[in-house]
Amino acid sequence: SVNPFYREKDVVFDSDLLGEWRIEGETKPSEIWKIEKTDGKAYKLTTTEPDGKQGEFAVHLFKLKKDCFLDLIPSDCTYGPKQTHNVATAMFPGHLLMRVTLRASQLKVTPTNFGWLEKHLTANPKALAHHVEHNRLLLTADTRALQRFVLKHLGDGELFEKPTVMV
């Protein structure tokens, strides 16, 4: 999304989110999430894949009614060394949405189901403001419309995939 999924009044801080998280039960090396506190109620998330590739995000934890979510936006988009300046200028770091449940030392992370979202918006183009460019979906709705859409589609098999449990 070009707009955040949260408003400042929705943002919460939970120190239990801080630390290093790995996928529960993985016997082989898996992705690692390192979550640190930054300014105010914000977090910094550094993801490290098993092959050593890393990504960094600015993250806000927020609540809509009784559900918690993460809004992630890349902190630093590094483009290929042979990529032209004009291509890099056209790249846009958008907001990603994940549903989360945090209990004791367990974090359930549920990513957006992009397949369902694309099918739903193709069948219902007025359901949420968006733009498709080269088969890439970009949500253009304002924050309030995004939140209404999220709350409407929290059911199984809809906006969110199955959760990944991290410890």
Side-chain angles (χ1 to χ4, degrees):
S1 173
V2 296
N3 291 306
F5 287 89
Y6 65 90
R7 294 176 290 170
E8 286 304 318
K9 71 179 190 98
D10 306 316
V11 175
V12 295
F13 185 84
D14 188 335
S15 61
D16 288 342
L17 193 58
L18 302 173
E20 207 168 276
W21 299 93
R22 298 171 190 267
I23 297 173
E24 182 179 58
E26 283 287 315
T27 55
K28 59 183 182 187
S30 69
E31 185 172 12
I32 298 169
W33 282 26
K34 183 178 179 184
I35 302 175
E36 303 170 271
K37 184 180 185 338
T38 61
D39 299 330
K41 295 180 181 178
Y43 303 87
K44 174 179 137 181
L45 165 63
T46 304
T47 60
T48 305
E49 295 177 352
D51 64 3
K53 291 180 184 173
Q54 286 193 326
E56 189 176 296
F57 299 85
V59 177
H60 288 88
L61 175 67
F62 67 100
K63 274 185 127 169
L64 296 179
K65 297 195 176 183
K66 61 179 177 54
D67 293 289
C68 288
F69 303 88
L70 295 178
D71 180 300
L72 300 89
I73 189 164
S75 300
D76 183 27
C77 293
T78 306
Y79 305 102
K82 293 184 179 185
Q83 195 159 315
T84 68
H85 174 72
N86 287 340
V87 171
T89 300
M91 298 292 180
F92 182 83
H95 292 263
L96 300 173
L97 179 68
M98 295 188 178
R99 191 176 186 182
V100 294
T101 305
L102 184 60
R103 288 199 181 101
S105 59
Q106 186 182 75
L107 175 66
K108 285 186 182 177
V109 180
T110 311
T112 300
N113 184 337
F114 293 110
W116 177 88
L117 183 58
E118 288 174 3
K119 286 178 188 172
H120 182 77
L121 293 178
T122 298
N124 306 283
K126 294 187 188 240
L128 189 65
H130 65 283
H131 177 74
V132 178
E133 188 75 36
H134 298 292
N135 295 322
R136 303 281 317 240
L137 177 65
L138 180 64
L139 301 178
T140 58
D142 67 20
T143 299
R144 286 181 187 226
L146 289 167
Q147 290 182 345
R148 282 192 302 272
F149 186 84
V150 167
L151 289 171
K152 183 177 180 179
H153 296 286
L154 288 176
D156 289 340
E158 291 194 38
L159 185 56
F160 294 97
E161 295 180 1
K162 292 186 191 252
T164 297
V165 178
M166 301 181 90
V167 292

